[in-house]
Amino acid sequence: MTSIDTAAMTTTLVHRASEHDAWWRNAVIYQVYPRSFADASGDGIGDLPGITSKLDHLARLGVDAVWLSPFYRSPQADAGYDVADYRQVDPLFGSLEDFDVLIERAHHLGLRVIVDLVPNHTSDEHEWFQAALASPKGSPERARYIFREGKGPEGAEPPNNWQSIFGGPAWTRLPDGQWYLHLFDSKQPDLDWTNPEVHEEFRSVLRFWLDRGVDGFRVDVAHGMVKAEGLPDWDGHVAMVEGVDEEGSTGAGNQGPMFDQEGVHEIYREWRAVLDEYEGDRILVAEAWVEPLSRLARYVRPDEMHQAFNFSYLTTKWDAQALRKVVTASLVANDEVGAPSTWVLSNHDVVRHPSRYGLSDPGSKPQGIGIGDEQPDEELGLRRARAATLITLGLPGSAYLYQGEELGLPEHTELDDSLRQDPAWFRTGHTERGRDGCRVPIPWDAEAPAFGFSPTGAAWLPQPASWAKYALSAQRGDATSTYGMYRAALRIRRDFKLGSGSLAWVDGLPEATAATTVAFVNGDVLVLANLGTEALPIGPEYGLELLISSQPLVHGAPLPPDTAAWFRLPR
Ligand code: TEU
């Protein structure tokens, strides 16, 4: 078989190197899920002092910023995505003073800090909702939420047929007969974004955190805040963990009268103006499950948000051609509006990518994995995940990492159902396993109780015994470990300025391998990934210098299946 001949290589340029140097355009941002990162208090739930104690780990890893999932006062009906007070830290996680210490330490280490903003809904325990319950129909207190009369005799049926994303109806009835809308749990009533008071309040919340020094906000359900006028019926249903359809959609797009309405863009323009009043480059990142990518790009137009998670990329299967297609579409769509692409493979809502890639349909997106479900092939999944990471970090743009992926952590797929806490598990009548499996506390120390997550050995979800090998302590100092690979990749990415680089696909690969190879050039670096089942020959004579590989690789030897590598191109 002919090998890859870089001398004869032709390429198709789809994205030019960026001339902008704002930090967020090429930043690697690490998601911390506070309840599962590090527990300083010993109650089994991670907290802000725990995070502060591990910031040096993140600095050493080489990321640029940290995004913290919600730590605000909350009854924790959806692990903090049900906020009762947007300006207070929940005692579970610490205090505002703890937050100040965290951000000061992070900035000292050169790490920026992004916090989560949950504007689609509040907790039902928020003082606004409590006031709405205590006030009559038609009152200004109720006008902050979406209260409606029901249909049918005595209004006993919900105002429309919308389903909650967590399952069950999206409406709950009060004793006085009115119904309120909740796209998620009944303890998460949706705000009415046609009400100027809601706008005013959230501008003020933004200022509260900007004044405390945050570098930006990840905006929860950024595609859902405005609903179509009249709240028309819709027969579709969006599940929390959407399956991937075979029609070409990756499953990242949410349609329906509650998603991607024009009005959301006005909100982001308003917020952008607030951020622009502040010094430093403060950013907004959209959690918007919107397809196609050209629609998603509208969230990152110059006067709106800075970044939008690329869920189309996350939901793409382990398939070289599909990856090439989605990467091209992403870069083209974002270039149209002058925004970077924001690559992501895992977060607190999806099955961890090593486990997704270890399924018989690799990269498919299950609604959680439980003991009765197909169990991923752990070794194969990790092998592919490591290759996927080198593809991702080799792409120009920004990238998000989810805590634990630098350890190669799989999903906990054998969690006892009795321990599950995800509202989706309960609201679907135990048909969707939900997201607990990707939220299990991080193993830091193979020898310590709860693998060093907490000083007492307490952990709100148990870690599998097999996680000892993933602990940081078991990987540190080992260059071939997943942790070692991430550190090296982040360093090389920085040295070669890959984040602000270009992308040109390599054409004319040997026919037998073209369909199963991801091959692109970013600046001086050739990124090669073999997703096929045969080794991919690389001509040693062409002077490719191996920079890093996802599996041990001998110089000039063929690239094994499910392996990626970065090479420096000869000058
Ligand atoms: O998730 C929202 C979310 O993922 C859905 O909006 C999405 O449309 C769909 O499920 C994907 O097909 C965010 C948080 O990340 C999550 O943890 C919260 O539970 C949720 O919002 C409610 O705040």
Side-chain angles (χ1 to χ4, degrees):
M1 195 191 298
T2 29
S3 65
I4 291 189
D5 174 353
T6 51
M9 192 167 86
T10 61
T11 58
T12 306
L13 183 72
V14 295
H15 172 79
R16 288 176 198 287
S18 166
E19 287 147 24
H20 306 280
D21 57 0
W23 70 273
W24 49 272
R25 288 183 170 270
N26 52 51
V28 176
I29 304 180
Y30 184 99
Q31 179 186 0
V32 168
Y33 193 66
R35 60 169 46 229
S36 305
F37 191 60
D39 170 22
S41 73
D43 65 355
I45 299 184
D47 45 40
L48 298 183
I51 298 170
T52 305
S53 75
K54 300 292 187 193
L55 287 173
D56 57 340
H57 161 70
L58 300 182
R60 215 175 303 128
L61 179 62
V63 300
D64 303 296
V66 180
W67 147 37
L68 305 175
S69 278
F71 49 78
Y72 315 110
R73 201 165 70 70
S74 159
Q76 306 289 320
D78 183 20
Y81 281 95
D82 50 320
V83 181
D85 187 338
Y86 291 86
R87 297 177 184 81
Q88 275 302 332
V89 173
D90 195 282
L92 263 185
F93 300 119
S95 63
L96 273 176
E97 290 66 43
D98 292 329
F99 180 78
D100 293 339
V101 171
L102 185 159
I103 201 164
E104 200 192 314
R105 176 77 188 140
H107 285 164
H108 176 78
L109 289 168
L111 296 168
R112 308 204 190 222
V113 178
I114 292 172
V115 295
D116 219 305
L117 188 73
V118 189
N120 178 68
H121 44 264
T122 70
S123 162
D124 64 334
E125 298 183 27
H126 189 282
E127 62 171 12
W128 273 11
F129 196 74
Q130 288 300 311
L133 292 182
S135 303
K137 296 178 180 180
S139 60
E141 286 79 4
R142 288 211 179 173
R144 294 159 175 159
Y145 294 91
I146 305 180
F147 283 92
R148 294 287 185 276
E149 296 300 328
K151 280 191 186 158
E154 285 160 40
E157 286 160 36
N160 70 20
N161 68 352
W162 294 3
Q163 297 295 300
S164 153
I165 290 168
F166 289 159
W171 296 91
T172 291
R173 196 174 198 195
L174 298 184
D176 70 11
Q178 272 206 323
W179 298 77
Y180 68 89
L181 176 71
H182 50 88
L183 290 186
F184 294 89
D185 192 70
S186 55
K187 284 182 68 63
Q188 293 166 295
D190 279 50
L191 287 162
D192 185 346
W193 276 91
T194 64
N195 184 335
E197 215 186 328
V198 174
H199 287 248
E200 183 54 41
E201 170 63 4
F202 275 87
R203 282 196 303 264
S204 155
V205 170
L206 287 176
R207 288 208 169 87
F208 178 86
W209 292 102
L210 289 166
D211 290 339
R212 281 203 117 78
V214 304
D215 298 288
F217 302 89
R218 175 264 189 192
V219 179
D220 192 58
V221 204
H223 58 315
M225 286 142 70
V226 175
K227 282 79 184 172
E229 219 179 305
L231 311 179
D233 274 352
W234 182 57
D235 291 329
H237 170 236
V238 166
M240 186 56 225
V241 189
E242 200 66 26
V244 178
D245 76 15
E246 297 302 330
E247 301 298 306
S249 159
T250 66
N254 290 176
Q255 297 192 340
M258 63 294 274
F259 294 124
D260 198 27
Q261 302 294 308
E262 201 50 41
V264 294
H265 297 287
E266 267 165 52
I267 304 173
Y268 305 133
R269 283 192 279 268
E270 208 176 90
W271 291 2
R272 180 61 178 258
V274 174
L275 265 70
D276 286 348
E277 286 171 25
Y278 284 79
E279 303 231 307
D281 261 328
R282 320 276 182 120
I283 69 161
L284 294 166
V285 50
E287 191 235 8
W289 291 79
V290 168
E291 279 189 320
L293 283 151
S294 53
R295 260 328 266 192
L296 182 66
R298 301 174 82 242
Y299 289 74
V300 287
R301 288 177 289 192
D303 58 348
E304 297 192 35
M305 305 229 206
H306 300 76
Q307 303 181 325
F309 292 108
N310 190 335
F311 293 125
S312 302
Y313 181 68
L314 183 150
T315 50
T316 297
K317 292 192 187 174
W318 188 238
D319 175 294
Q321 295 186 73
L323 283 167
R324 176 168 170 154
K325 209 167 125 193
V326 74
V327 167
T328 300
S330 307
L331 292 169
V332 168
N334 283 285
D335 280 346
E336 287 269 310
V337 293
S341 290
T342 301
W343 312 105
V344 59
L345 291 171
S346 277
N347 65 31
H348 65 294
D349 290 332
V350 299
V351 168
R352 283 180 176 274
H353 64 276
S355 301
R356 298 202 310 269
Y357 295 144
L359 293 170
S360 53
D361 182 7
S364 58
K365 194 164 159 261
Q367 311 194 315
I369 300 178
I371 204 148
D373 301 320
E374 182 200 340
Q375 295 296 303
D377 179 330
E378 193 170 326
E379 212 183 295
L380 180 64
L382 178 57
R383 184 184 176 95
R384 288 176 174 157
R386 289 171 56 130
T389 293
L390 289 191
I391 298 174
T392 304
L393 293 177
L395 291 167
S398 174
Y400 277 76
L401 307 180
Y402 177 48
Q403 65 179 33
E405 71 166 86
E406 78 278 24
L407 305 174
L409 218 56
E411 185 86 356
H412 188 345
T413 56
E414 297 178 338
L415 198 61
D416 199 279
D417 284 344
S418 68
L419 299 171
R420 295 194 184 279
Q421 302 202 13
D422 186 348
W425 164 246
F426 299 100
R427 290 189 60 93
T428 57
H430 300 178
T431 52
E432 275 183 36
R433 303 269 150 201
R435 301 162 290 171
D436 295 304
C438 65
R439 299 175 174 181
V440 172
I442 296 299
W444 295 96
D445 180 349
E447 309 295 326
F451 297 131
F453 166 66
S454 70
T456 54
W460 72 281
L461 287 174
Q463 302 145 309
S466 62
W467 277 18
K469 62 175 178 292
Y470 292 106
L472 178 63
S473 68
Q475 300 193 41
R476 211 173 2 215
D478 174 2
T480 67
S481 69
T482 303
Y483 172 70
M485 186 199 82
Y486 268 79
R487 261 192 93 183
L490 290 170
R491 196 184 55 240
I492 299 167
R493 178 184 151 96
R494 192 178 300 237
D495 289 350
F496 284 83
K497 298 192 169 34
L498 298 181
S500 46
S502 54
L503 187 132
W505 295 112
V506 174
D507 298 318
L509 292 176
E511 207 171 317
T513 54
T516 53
T517 305
V518 173
F520 61 87
V521 173
N522 178 348
D524 295 334
V525 176
L526 168 68
V527 175
L528 261 191
N530 179 4
L531 280 65
T533 50
E534 306 286 325
L536 178 72
I538 305 164
E541 64 277 26
Y542 300 112
L544 286 175
E545 179 197 337
L546 178 64
L547 295 170
I548 186 171
S549 53
S550 64
Q551 297 296 322
L553 198 66
V554 178
H555 177 79
L559 193 65
D562 293 315
T563 302
W566 296 355
F567 301 92
R568 180 192 212 140
L569 290 169
R571 293 249 161 209

PDB file of all heavy atoms in Angstrom, residues 492-517:
ATOM      1  N   ILE A 492       2.024  21.658  23.277  1.00  0.00           N
ATOM      2  CA  ILE A 492       2.364  21.749  21.842  1.00  0.00           C
ATOM      3  C   ILE A 492       1.345  22.650  21.129  1.00  0.00           C
ATOM      4  O   ILE A 492       1.695  23.457  20.272  1.00  0.00           O
ATOM      5  CB  ILE A 492       2.391  20.336  21.212  1.00  0.00           C
ATOM      6  CG1 ILE A 492       3.454  19.484  21.914  1.00  0.00           C
ATOM      7  CG2 ILE A 492       2.665  20.421  19.723  1.00  0.00           C
ATOM      8  CD1 ILE A 492       3.365  18.003  21.597  1.00  0.00           C
ATOM      9  N   ARG A 493       0.088  22.513  21.525  1.00  0.00           N
ATOM     10  CA  ARG A 493      -0.966  23.356  20.933  1.00  0.00           C
ATOM     11  C   ARG A 493      -0.631  24.838  21.109  1.00  0.00           C
ATOM     12  O   ARG A 493      -0.806  25.649  20.209  1.00  0.00           O
ATOM     13  CB  ARG A 493      -2.298  23.023  21.621  1.00  0.00           C
ATOM     14  CG  ARG A 493      -3.473  23.838  21.147  1.00  0.00           C
ATOM     15  CD  ARG A 493      -4.726  23.485  21.960  1.00  0.00           C
ATOM     16  NE  ARG A 493      -5.607  24.626  22.019  1.00  0.00           N
ATOM     17  CZ  ARG A 493      -6.629  24.829  21.200  1.00  0.00           C
ATOM     18  NH1 ARG A 493      -6.906  23.948  20.265  1.00  0.00           N
ATOM     19  NH2 ARG A 493      -7.374  25.907  21.308  1.00  0.00           N
ATOM     20  N   ARG A 494      -0.127  25.140  22.293  1.00  0.00           N
ATOM     21  CA  ARG A 494       0.254  26.530  22.567  1.00  0.00           C
ATOM     22  C   ARG A 494       1.503  26.924  21.753  1.00  0.00           C
ATOM     23  O   ARG A 494       1.516  27.953  21.100  1.00  0.00           O
ATOM     24  CB  ARG A 494       0.539  26.668  24.068  1.00  0.00           C
ATOM     25  CG  ARG A 494       0.672  28.074  24.562  1.00  0.00           C
ATOM     26  CD  ARG A 494       0.890  28.068  26.063  1.00  0.00           C
ATOM     27  NE  ARG A 494      -0.238  27.445  26.742  1.00  0.00           N
ATOM     28  CZ  ARG A 494      -0.966  28.031  27.687  1.00  0.00           C
ATOM     29  NH1 ARG A 494      -0.670  29.244  28.070  1.00  0.00           N
ATOM     30  NH2 ARG A 494      -1.970  27.399  28.254  1.00  0.00           N
ATOM     31  N   ASP A 495       2.519  26.068  21.808  1.00  0.00           N
ATOM     32  CA  ASP A 495       3.774  26.383  21.108  1.00  0.00           C
ATOM     33  C   ASP A 495       3.548  26.606  19.617  1.00  0.00           C
ATOM     34  O   ASP A 495       4.164  27.471  19.009  1.00  0.00           O
ATOM     35  CB  ASP A 495       4.783  25.234  21.281  1.00  0.00           C
ATOM     36  CG  ASP A 495       5.310  25.157  22.706  1.00  0.00           C
ATOM     37  OD1 ASP A 495       5.051  26.097  23.497  1.00  0.00           O
ATOM     38  OD2 ASP A 495       5.972  24.143  23.037  1.00  0.00           O
ATOM     39  N   PHE A 496       2.682  25.797  19.036  1.00  0.00           N
ATOM     40  CA  PHE A 496       2.468  25.884  17.583  1.00  0.00           C
ATOM     41  C   PHE A 496       1.264  26.754  17.233  1.00  0.00           C
ATOM     42  O   PHE A 496       0.842  26.780  16.092  1.00  0.00           O
ATOM     43  CB  PHE A 496       2.317  24.479  16.985  1.00  0.00           C
ATOM     44  CG  PHE A 496       3.630  23.751  16.851  1.00  0.00           C
ATOM     45  CD1 PHE A 496       4.177  23.072  17.935  1.00  0.00           C
ATOM     46  CD2 PHE A 496       4.332  23.768  15.654  1.00  0.00           C
ATOM     47  CE1 PHE A 496       5.397  22.399  17.822  1.00  0.00           C
ATOM     48  CE2 PHE A 496       5.543  23.111  15.527  1.00  0.00           C
ATOM     49  CZ  PHE A 496       6.079  22.421  16.629  1.00  0.00           C
ATOM     50  N   LYS A 497       0.705  27.420  18.248  1.00  0.00           N
ATOM     51  CA  LYS A 497      -0.427  28.323  18.041  1.00  0.00           C
ATOM     52  C   LYS A 497      -1.560  27.664  17.239  1.00  0.00           C
ATOM     53  O   LYS A 497      -2.133  28.260  16.321  1.00  0.00           O
ATOM     54  CB  LYS A 497       0.035  29.601  17.331  1.00  0.00           C
ATOM     55  CG  LYS A 497       1.044  30.410  18.130  1.00  0.00           C
ATOM     56  CD  LYS A 497       1.215  31.774  17.501  1.00  0.00           C
ATOM     57  CE  LYS A 497       1.984  32.769  18.325  1.00  0.00           C
ATOM     58  NZ  LYS A 497       3.072  32.290  19.164  1.00  0.00           N
ATOM     59  N   LEU A 498      -1.854  26.424  17.594  1.00  0.00           N
ATOM     60  CA  LEU A 498      -2.880  25.695  16.840  1.00  0.00           C
ATOM     61  C   LEU A 498      -4.260  26.326  17.027  1.00  0.00           C
ATOM     62  O   LEU A 498      -5.082  26.321  16.121  1.00  0.00           O
ATOM     63  CB  LEU A 498      -2.917  24.219  17.272  1.00  0.00           C
ATOM     64  CG  LEU A 498      -1.633  23.430  17.030  1.00  0.00           C
ATOM     65  CD1 LEU A 498      -1.802  21.974  17.469  1.00  0.00           C
ATOM     66  CD2 LEU A 498      -1.227  23.490  15.558  1.00  0.00           C
ATOM     67  N   GLY A 499      -4.501  26.879  18.208  1.00  0.00           N
ATOM     68  CA  GLY A 499      -5.814  27.453  18.493  1.00  0.00           C
ATOM     69  C   GLY A 499      -6.163  28.627  17.595  1.00  0.00           C
ATOM     70  O   GLY A 499      -7.327  28.865  17.287  1.00  0.00           O
ATOM     71  N   SER A 500      -5.152  29.367  17.165  1.00  0.00           N
ATOM     72  CA  SER A 500      -5.448  30.480  16.257  1.00  0.00           C
ATOM     73  C   SER A 500      -4.970  30.151  14.843  1.00  0.00           C
ATOM     74  O   SER A 500      -4.787  31.039  14.011  1.00  0.00           O
ATOM     75  CB  SER A 500      -4.806  31.774  16.776  1.00  0.00           C
ATOM     76  OG  SER A 500      -3.483  31.521  17.170  1.00  0.00           O
ATOM     77  N   GLY A 501      -4.799  28.868  14.604  1.00  0.00           N
ATOM     78  CA  GLY A 501      -4.253  28.431  13.324  1.00  0.00           C
ATOM     79  C   GLY A 501      -5.274  28.274  12.214  1.00  0.00           C
ATOM     80  O   GLY A 501      -6.394  28.777  12.277  1.00  0.00           O
ATOM     81  N   SER A 502      -4.858  27.526  11.195  1.00  0.00           N
ATOM     82  CA  SER A 502      -5.663  27.358   9.983  1.00  0.00           C
ATOM     83  C   SER A 502      -6.077  25.895   9.862  1.00  0.00           C
ATOM     84  O   SER A 502      -5.619  25.052  10.637  1.00  0.00           O
ATOM     85  CB  SER A 502      -4.816  27.748   8.775  1.00  0.00           C
ATOM     86  OG  SER A 502      -3.609  27.009   8.805  1.00  0.00           O
ATOM     87  N   LEU A 503      -6.907  25.622   8.894  1.00  0.00           N
ATOM     88  CA  LEU A 503      -7.225  24.221   8.638  1.00  0.00           C
ATOM     89  C   LEU A 503      -7.319  23.959   7.146  1.00  0.00           C
ATOM     90  O   LEU A 503      -8.080  24.615   6.437  1.00  0.00           O
ATOM     91  CB  LEU A 503      -8.529  23.792   9.312  1.00  0.00           C
ATOM     92  CG  LEU A 503      -8.754  22.275   9.171  1.00  0.00           C
ATOM     93  CD1 LEU A 503      -9.133  21.622  10.483  1.00  0.00           C
ATOM     94  CD2 LEU A 503      -9.777  21.952   8.098  1.00  0.00           C
ATOM     95  N   ALA A 504      -6.499  23.012   6.703  1.00  0.00           N
ATOM     96  CA  ALA A 504      -6.546  22.566   5.310  1.00  0.00           C
ATOM     97  C   ALA A 504      -6.609  21.045   5.309  1.00  0.00           C
ATOM     98  O   ALA A 504      -5.777  20.383   5.929  1.00  0.00           O
ATOM     99  CB  ALA A 504      -5.314  23.046   4.561  1.00  0.00           C
ATOM    100  N   TRP A 505      -7.618  20.505   4.645  1.00  0.00           N
ATOM    101  CA  TRP A 505      -7.732  19.041   4.564  1.00  0.00           C
ATOM    102  C   TRP A 505      -6.683  18.501   3.615  1.00  0.00           C
ATOM    103  O   TRP A 505      -6.399  19.110   2.579  1.00  0.00           O
ATOM    104  CB  TRP A 505      -9.121  18.635   4.060  1.00  0.00           C
ATOM    105  CG  TRP A 505     -10.220  19.005   5.004  1.00  0.00           C
ATOM    106  CD1 TRP A 505     -11.175  19.946   4.791  1.00  0.00           C
ATOM    107  CD2 TRP A 505     -10.477  18.459   6.300  1.00  0.00           C
ATOM    108  NE1 TRP A 505     -12.009  20.031   5.884  1.00  0.00           N
ATOM    109  CE2 TRP A 505     -11.601  19.121   6.822  1.00  0.00           C
ATOM    110  CE3 TRP A 505      -9.854  17.476   7.086  1.00  0.00           C
ATOM    111  CZ2 TRP A 505     -12.124  18.839   8.079  1.00  0.00           C
ATOM    112  CZ3 TRP A 505     -10.372  17.188   8.333  1.00  0.00           C
ATOM    113  CH2 TRP A 505     -11.489  17.863   8.824  1.00  0.00           C
ATOM    114  N   VAL A 506      -6.145  17.360   3.958  1.00  0.00           N
ATOM    115  CA  VAL A 506      -5.173  16.700   3.091  1.00  0.00           C
ATOM    116  C   VAL A 506      -5.931  15.872   2.059  1.00  0.00           C
ATOM    117  O   VAL A 506      -6.769  15.048   2.416  1.00  0.00           O
ATOM    118  CB  VAL A 506      -4.238  15.793   3.923  1.00  0.00           C
ATOM    119  CG1 VAL A 506      -3.321  14.992   3.019  1.00  0.00           C
ATOM    120  CG2 VAL A 506      -3.449  16.629   4.922  1.00  0.00           C
ATOM    121  N   ASP A 507      -5.638  16.148   0.809  1.00  0.00           N
ATOM    122  CA  ASP A 507      -6.297  15.397  -0.263  1.00  0.00           C
ATOM    123  C   ASP A 507      -5.366  14.323  -0.793  1.00  0.00           C
ATOM    124  O   ASP A 507      -4.168  14.343  -0.522  1.00  0.00           O
ATOM    125  CB  ASP A 507      -6.666  16.335  -1.413  1.00  0.00           C
ATOM    126  CG  ASP A 507      -7.646  17.402  -0.962  1.00  0.00           C
ATOM    127  OD1 ASP A 507      -8.574  17.053  -0.212  1.00  0.00           O
ATOM    128  OD2 ASP A 507      -7.460  18.575  -1.342  1.00  0.00           O
ATOM    129  N   GLY A 508      -5.945  13.455  -1.595  1.00  0.00           N
ATOM    130  CA  GLY A 508      -5.153  12.470  -2.313  1.00  0.00           C
ATOM    131  C   GLY A 508      -4.516  11.424  -1.431  1.00  0.00           C
ATOM    132  O   GLY A 508      -3.433  10.924  -1.727  1.00  0.00           O
ATOM    133  N   LEU A 509      -5.173  11.096  -0.331  1.00  0.00           N
ATOM    134  CA  LEU A 509      -4.666   9.985   0.480  1.00  0.00           C
ATOM    135  C   LEU A 509      -4.871   8.690  -0.302  1.00  0.00           C
ATOM    136  O   LEU A 509      -5.774   8.610  -1.132  1.00  0.00           O
ATOM    137  CB  LEU A 509      -5.446   9.899   1.795  1.00  0.00           C
ATOM    138  CG  LEU A 509      -5.248  11.032   2.794  1.00  0.00           C
ATOM    139  CD1 LEU A 509      -6.171  10.845   3.985  1.00  0.00           C
ATOM    140  CD2 LEU A 509      -3.799  11.078   3.259  1.00  0.00           C
ATOM    141  N   PRO A 510      -4.029   7.690  -0.029  1.00  0.00           N
ATOM    142  CA  PRO A 510      -4.237   6.406  -0.709  1.00  0.00           C
ATOM    143  C   PRO A 510      -5.714   5.990  -0.604  1.00  0.00           C
ATOM    144  O   PRO A 510      -6.305   6.100   0.466  1.00  0.00           O
ATOM    145  CB  PRO A 510      -3.342   5.443   0.067  1.00  0.00           C
ATOM    146  CG  PRO A 510      -2.340   6.312   0.750  1.00  0.00           C
ATOM    147  CD  PRO A 510      -2.946   7.663   0.918  1.00  0.00           C
ATOM    148  N   GLU A 511      -6.255   5.555  -1.708  1.00  0.00           N
ATOM    149  CA  GLU A 511      -7.703   5.330  -1.784  1.00  0.00           C
ATOM    150  C   GLU A 511      -8.255   4.438  -0.677  1.00  0.00           C
ATOM    151  O   GLU A 511      -9.296   4.711  -0.105  1.00  0.00           O
ATOM    152  CB  GLU A 511      -8.048   4.731  -3.139  1.00  0.00           C
ATOM    153  CG  GLU A 511      -9.452   5.075  -3.553  1.00  0.00           C
ATOM    154  CD  GLU A 511      -9.708   4.660  -4.985  1.00  0.00           C
ATOM    155  OE1 GLU A 511      -8.815   4.885  -5.849  1.00  0.00           O
ATOM    156  OE2 GLU A 511     -10.772   4.101  -5.215  1.00  0.00           O
ATOM    157  N   ALA A 512      -7.478   3.406  -0.365  1.00  0.00           N
ATOM    158  CA  ALA A 512      -7.959   2.437   0.622  1.00  0.00           C
ATOM    159  C   ALA A 512      -8.147   3.063   1.999  1.00  0.00           C
ATOM    160  O   ALA A 512      -8.892   2.549   2.825  1.00  0.00           O
ATOM    161  CB  ALA A 512      -6.989   1.266   0.714  1.00  0.00           C
ATOM    162  N   THR A 513      -7.472   4.159   2.248  1.00  0.00           N
ATOM    163  CA  THR A 513      -7.517   4.715   3.598  1.00  0.00           C
ATOM    164  C   THR A 513      -8.234   6.058   3.670  1.00  0.00           C
ATOM    165  O   THR A 513      -8.539   6.536   4.767  1.00  0.00           O
ATOM    166  CB  THR A 513      -6.080   4.917   4.131  1.00  0.00           C
ATOM    167  OG1 THR A 513      -5.365   5.704   3.168  1.00  0.00           O
ATOM    168  CG2 THR A 513      -5.368   3.615   4.342  1.00  0.00           C
ATOM    169  N   ALA A 514      -8.498   6.659   2.518  1.00  0.00           N
ATOM    170  CA  ALA A 514      -9.039   8.023   2.501  1.00  0.00           C
ATOM    171  C   ALA A 514     -10.319   8.145   3.328  1.00  0.00           C
ATOM    172  O   ALA A 514     -10.506   9.116   4.055  1.00  0.00           O
ATOM    173  CB  ALA A 514      -9.286   8.474   1.072  1.00  0.00           C
ATOM    174  N   ALA A 515     -11.177   7.145   3.235  1.00  0.00           N
ATOM    175  CA  ALA A 515     -12.487   7.249   3.882  1.00  0.00           C
ATOM    176  C   ALA A 515     -12.417   7.094   5.397  1.00  0.00           C
ATOM    177  O   ALA A 515     -13.348   7.458   6.099  1.00  0.00           O
ATOM    178  CB  ALA A 515     -13.429   6.194   3.301  1.00  0.00           C
ATOM    179  N   THR A 516     -11.315   6.548   5.875  1.00  0.00           N
ATOM    180  CA  THR A 516     -11.237   6.274   7.312  1.00  0.00           C
ATOM    181  C   THR A 516     -10.148   7.088   7.994  1.00  0.00           C
ATOM    182  O   THR A 516      -9.766   6.804   9.133  1.00  0.00           O
ATOM    183  CB  THR A 516     -10.972   4.765   7.549  1.00  0.00           C
ATOM    184  OG1 THR A 516      -9.830   4.388   6.783  1.00  0.00           O
ATOM    185  CG2 THR A 516     -12.170   3.918   7.160  1.00  0.00           C
ATOM    186  N   THR A 517      -9.629   8.085   7.290  1.00  0.00           N
ATOM    187  CA  THR A 517      -8.555   8.894   7.856  1.00  0.00           C
ATOM    188  C   THR A 517      -9.007  10.338   8.017  1.00  0.00           C
ATOM    189  O   THR A 517      -9.608  10.902   7.116  1.00  0.00           O
ATOM    190  CB  THR A 517      -7.320   8.868   6.919  1.00  0.00           C
ATOM    191  OG1 THR A 517      -6.974   7.510   6.696  1.00  0.00           O
ATOM    192  CG2 THR A 517      -6.141   9.592   7.536  1.00  0.00           C
TER     193      THR A 517
END
